[in-house]
Amino acid sequence: MPDSVGLGRKFIAELLGTFLFVFVGAGSAVAAQYLGISDPGTSLLIAAFANGLGLAVGISVTMGVSGGALNPAVTIALLLGKKMPGRDVIPYIVAELVGATLAGVLLMAVSPSSAGAAAHWGAPTLSSAISVGQGTLFEIVMTFLLVLAVYGTIVDPRSPKIGGFGVGLVVVADVLVGGPFTGAAMNPARAMGPMIASLSFPAYWYIYWIGPVIGAAIAGLVYSRVIENPNRN
């Protein structure tokens, strides 16, 4: 994480980057609903590429200021990997949740309510075909892969300089696999922003905290202690 930048500027960067990501990602679901796209495969592709590209750009825009976490689970993973000072964690998470919520509020202000409500304002939903436990495990695995990409393409000093596009590609892949089952949030802010804005919380809302945080924590510890530096104490 950049050390020479003040916490206030990091806060603003995280807020704006998360706003960009959530507005594009959640907005794509509302737009698809408004256009009457009924084919599940087409809707899945739209969600995958909108969320992947939105996150890729959001990270690339903010990584020089805040590191481009844009995700409370990633923030926790960076702390556990000793890539972020503890004093930054709570401000980062607050900024990410505020940015996501503002994105949800603005999306509600500019979009047709009928399309937005039908699409749950872009909030992820759990398929009735799987259990809460299965959904949580799905989110653990997908977030694990996401954070591996964060460490391997951004955090590791040996990583290729490709901005946030390595992470964005993993999001595309994860959404294509898990989108039909959990919405493939992999990010508590991405899930909670539209829920808070619309004041609509499904009974299983907590899986979008538990799954991503566990998956991110495991990935951060594995990469920082085994892959990046196997001799680290």
Side-chain angles (χ1 to χ4, degrees), residues 1-18 58-71 74-75 78 83-85 88-89 91-92 95-96 150 154-155:
M1 298 295 100
D3 295 324
S4 60
V5 179
L7 183 56
R9 291 171 61 193
K10 292 179 182 178
F11 183 96
I12 293 171
E14 285 295 300
L15 188 155
L16 293 177
T18 310
I59 291 174
S60 298
V61 167
T62 59
M63 62 188 298
V65 177
S66 67
L70 313 188
N71 181 337
V74 170
T75 297
L78 293 172
K83 305 298 183 182
M84 174 182 289
D88 287 359
V89 171
Y92 267 54
E96 291 151 2
V150 170
I154 296 176
V155 176

Side-chain angles (χ1 to χ4, degrees), residues 120-121 123 191-192 194-202 205:
H120 306 284
W121 295 107
M192 299 305 298
M195 292 181 190
I196 295 171
S198 62
L199 298 178
S200 178
F201 300 91
W205 63 268

